[in-house]
Amino acid sequence: MHAMTEVKAIKTAAEAGLAETYAAARSRLPGGKAVAAQRQAAFEVFVRDGLPHRRVEDWKYTDLRALMREARPLAPPPDAAAKAQAKTAGAMLGDVETRRLVFVDGAFVPELSDTAALENGLTVGSLAQALADGDAALSGELGKRAPATDVAVALNTALMGDGAAIRIAPGATIERPLHLVFMASGKPAASFVRSLVAVGERARAMLIESHEGPPGCGYQVNAALELAVGEGAHVDHVRIIGEGAEALHVSTLAAAIGGKARFNTFSFVIGGAVVRNQIFLDFDGDETVAGIRGATLLKARQHADTTLVVRHSGRGCQSREVFKSVLDDEAHGVFQGRIIVKPHAQQTDARMMTRALLLSDRAEADNKPELEIFADDVQCGHGATAGAIDEALKFYLMARGIPNAEAEALLIQAFLGEALDGLEHAALREALMHRVANWLKTRG
Amino acid sequence: MPLLEINNLHAGIEGKDILRGLTLAVNAGEVHAIMGPNGSGKSTLAYVLAGKDGYAPTAGEVLFDGRNIFDLAPDERAAAGLFLAFQYPLEIPGVATMTFLRTALNAQRKKRGQAELSTPDFLKAVRGLAKTLGIDQEMLRRPVNVGFSGGEKKRNEILQMALLEPKLAVLDETDSGLDIDALKIVADGVNRLRERTRSFIVITHYQRLLNYIVPDVVHVLSKGRIVKTGGKELALELEARGYAEYQEEAAVA
Ligand SMILES: Nc1ncnc2c1ncn2[C@@H]1O[C@H](COP(=O)(O)OP(=O)(O)OP(=O)(O)O)[C@@H](O)[C@H]1O
Ligand SMILES: [Mg+2]
């Protein structure tokens, strides 16, 4: 008998759990009718495709369907104890002076946030609040930049609870870096945070996101940031993923960058059991200069995937992509980088370099750099390497009296330096180097 | 008791025998020169002494200060007072010269139970030595040996030696690639460190260096063995006559 069987993408316990979560929560998620419709459309993308798996090209190395065993329930609003914990969150920044906006289990906590005496031209707030208030301008921006067909983004849109809503007026210079502190309190729960940041023309700002939580709890985070960088603006973005050892973390940065801008983004991935760090950048205007860098340090059985898609549509833009990963034990590091140069994007100058340093025979690196060039007058290149510590260099150091572990630490720091040196903010660079040094100290 | 005692050392790389029964004793305060044709095993001896991976001894022993060095890792040998000036010093991108020097010095001091040097004392020591060796302050700000000329790298090796104050320094062709002025600077650097208790093994192809660093003993190494030992006049003899007769001797033996 030949029966028509409907292909259902929802098969696994985690997929069923996500569908149940949505069904139960949809009526109380923030936002008016338009937002609800957006959520529903996004949810349908998920229903159609299910969780991404290894036969989906962009998710080839991060089979979320296999890696995500169950869907955690939505995190309840943080209680007093969770808030108390969050006081020290973000400490990895050392003494970098920032304006902190604190989110615990995905919810904005005004009493821990620094919203007083805002610089001229700076507006900060909670996304949930803005959606509840029916901020039309804001909901109009929602989903404009993030790729709607990406299932991680779709789930974020369907289930987003809160996040930061930030506007910087044209010409404004925001001296203090804005620090979005995302902390999980350690409940076996899930949070879906969505942040919208719009930086006006010629404005200047630095935006740091840090994501952290305690070890020993399999919490789940899906964080998305949509960023608009106006013409001539200068924006530095830093994302620190320092989740607890059992956490599942999916991050998306989707940015549209105007012409004659300067834009830097740096991803520092050090925590979490399974991490997917997606970066989608659209260079729409001409003559923008961008630095796109990252450092990943993994050990034990950590898995982290950085997937970058850079689209050059404007003319004469320059982008430098440098991603370094240090992989120990049985860790698995993935870097997929795609640079697309559109037909009109003449004189694009894009160079992508990715290197993995393997500290153990069992560690694994997958590097997939790609160039898709449709313009003829461009300078583009990419390179990828993976290898172990250079024994000859190590011997030279040891012959001077430097013990094995210290010699390796020096070489690892030197290896990461090429990426970290791209951070112009000296105190932040120091703080991350310090974090690297601590990571190295805990090596076996 | 000699500072360094090598008895019937056999060693090779990848199963290939290179040192084939080498015996040598260096007393505290002595300067020994080792000369020998290309490929005779001079650098191999230097690497075996310093403990490079893959340069495994298959027979014999090496005692340094009475201790069997094969029990020690390269950093432990260095802390015990053994120094190797590399024939080909390596460039280490990303590691600042000052960080490298300070880490090395303090690691050795720590292992010997000495206090770390304070930053001002350390800087003063390095700057003073750099000046006497004609090393620019600007070079010290670069990563280790990166962008250094061949001769600058050799001088940097001597700087490291002078800072680390070893008991025994093995200089592997430190003179090659040096111009005449640099040769004098390096030789002066070595001579300043010559003391009653400090010893040197100077590996060289050229008698010229030995005019400046006058050796107590000269050895000829051929095919992995010491085939002739003499005073400083042996170097002059070799300069005049070459190694032909010794290569035959080694082959017969
Ligand atoms: N990694 C290696 N693998 C195989 N053979 C090697 C290796 N290194 C050195 N050898 C061989 O060992 C022998 C001794 O080499 P070594 O470098 O010790 O000679 P040397 O006396 O220092 O010569 P030179 O005067 O040219 O510096 C040579 O025949 C060389 O080819
Ligand atoms: Mg040699």
Side-chain angles (χ1 to χ4, degrees), chain B residues 13-14 16-19 36-47 52 55 87-88 172-173 203-205 221:
Chain B
I13 313 138
E14 292 162 6
K16 187 171 153 195
D17 254 358
I18 292 164
L19 301 181
N38 294 134
S40 55
K42 302 181 298 297
S43 293
T44 301
L45 172 63
Y47 284 150
K52 187 172 167 122
Y55 287 73
Q87 182 173 356
Y88 304 108
D172 190 357
E173 292 195 30
I203 296 170
T204 182
H205 285 297
L221 183 67

Side-chain angles (χ1 to χ4, degrees), chain A residues 248-268:
Chain A
L248 172 78
H249 177 105
V250 180
S251 262
T252 304
L253 165 67
I257 300 133
K260 294 192 169 63
R262 279 186 63 193
F263 176 70
N264 291 298
T265 179
F266 190 91
S267 298
F268 187 74

Side-chain angles (χ1 to χ4, degrees), chain B:
Chain B
M1 186 187 66
L3 177 63
L4 177 73
E5 203 177 336
I6 305 176
N7 291 317
N8 188 35
L9 178 64
H10 288 255
I13 313 138
E14 292 162 6
K16 187 171 153 195
D17 254 358
I18 292 164
L19 301 181
R20 303 179 305 142
L22 189 142
T23 295
L24 174 71
V26 178
N27 291 312
E30 286 179 352
V31 174
H32 288 227
I34 295 181
M35 305 182 79
N38 294 134
S40 55
K42 302 181 298 297
S43 293
T44 301
L45 172 63
Y47 284 150
V48 171
L49 292 177
K52 187 172 167 122
D53 236 17
Y55 287 73
T58 48
E61 62 170 1
V62 176
L63 301 176
F64 180 65
D65 236 357
R67 286 166 81 185
N68 176 2
I69 64 164
F70 298 136
D71 295 341
L72 303 177
D75 59 306
E76 294 169 324
R77 297 182 197 192
L82 188 74
F83 180 90
L84 167 62
F86 284 61
Q87 182 173 356
Y88 304 108
L90 296 149
E91 299 190 7
I92 316 186
V95 176
T97 298
M98 287 308 226
T99 307
F100 164 64
L101 294 175
R102 194 201 319 245
T103 309
L105 181 62
N106 284 335
Q108 291 204 18
R109 292 179 68 93
K110 193 170 155 197
K111 224 167 270 161
R112 294 194 292 256
Q114 299 164 319
E116 293 194 348
L117 220 57
S118 73
T119 303
D121 287 350
F122 166 78
L123 290 175
K124 212 172 119 197
V126 174
R127 290 202 182 117
L129 291 169
K131 200 165 169 205
T132 62
L133 291 165
I135 293 173
D136 224 48
Q137 295 299 320
E138 183 273 325
M139 280 165 61
L140 295 175
R141 281 193 287 272
R142 288 191 223 160
V144 179
N145 290 328
V146 172
F148 286 28
S149 73
E152 288 167 345
K153 285 178 186 165
K154 296 300 180 81
R155 269 185 272 173
N156 197 19
E157 295 290 286
I158 300 303
L159 169 73
Q160 293 165 41
M161 176 183 77
L163 182 71
L164 298 170
E165 302 182 311
K167 287 182 185 151
L168 170 69
V170 179
L171 310 183
D172 190 357
E173 292 195 30
T174 301
D175 54 337
S176 64
L178 291 181
D179 64 41
I180 297 161
D181 295 336
L183 184 72
K184 283 183 195 151
I185 291 171
V186 163
D188 287 346
V190 171
N191 288 329
R192 261 195 302 277
L193 288 173
R194 279 181 84 160
E195 281 177 20
R196 224 161 38 77
T197 55
R198 185 168 292 133
S199 310
F200 294 86
I201 294 176
V202 180
I203 296 170
T204 182
H205 285 297
Y206 306 106
Q207 193 274 333
R208 198 180 60 192
L209 175 70
L210 305 179
N211 287 336
Y212 299 109
I213 305 172
V214 181
D216 300 297
V217 187
V218 175
H219 306 276
V220 178
L221 183 67
S222 181
K223 302 199 167 125
R225 284 194 191 94
I226 303 276
V227 292
K228 172 100 180 172
T229 296
K232 60 176 189 261
E233 62 292 342
L234 178 55
L236 288 166
E237 240 175 76
L238 291 169
E239 181 97 342
R241 297 220 296 266
Y243 294 116
E245 61 185 288
Y246 302 110
Q247 276 173 300
E248 275 152 40
E249 249 170 71
V252 171

Side-chain angles (χ1 to χ4, degrees), chain A residues 391-393 395-404 406 410-411 413-415, chain B residues 52 74-75 78 83-84 86 90-91 93-94 100 103-104 107-108 145 157 160:
Chain A
E391 287 297 324
L393 294 185
F395 172 63
Y396 189 63
L397 295 173
M398 290 184 74
R400 296 298 175 254
I402 301 173
N404 184 66
E406 256 181 280
L410 276 177
L411 294 173
Q413 283 164 318
F415 171 81
Chain B
K52 187 172 167 122
D75 59 306
F83 180 90
L84 167 62
F86 284 61
L90 296 149
E91 299 190 7
F100 164 64
T103 309
Q108 291 204 18
N145 290 328
E157 295 290 286
Q160 293 165 41

Side-chain angles (χ1 to χ4, degrees), chain A residues 3 93 99 103 117 154 187 203 228 245 259 275 285 319 381 395 402 418 443-444:
Chain A
L93 255 55
R99 177 183 295 282
F103 299 81
K187 293 179 188 69
V275 172
S319 67
F395 172 63
I402 301 173
E418 217 180 333
R443 278 188 69 209

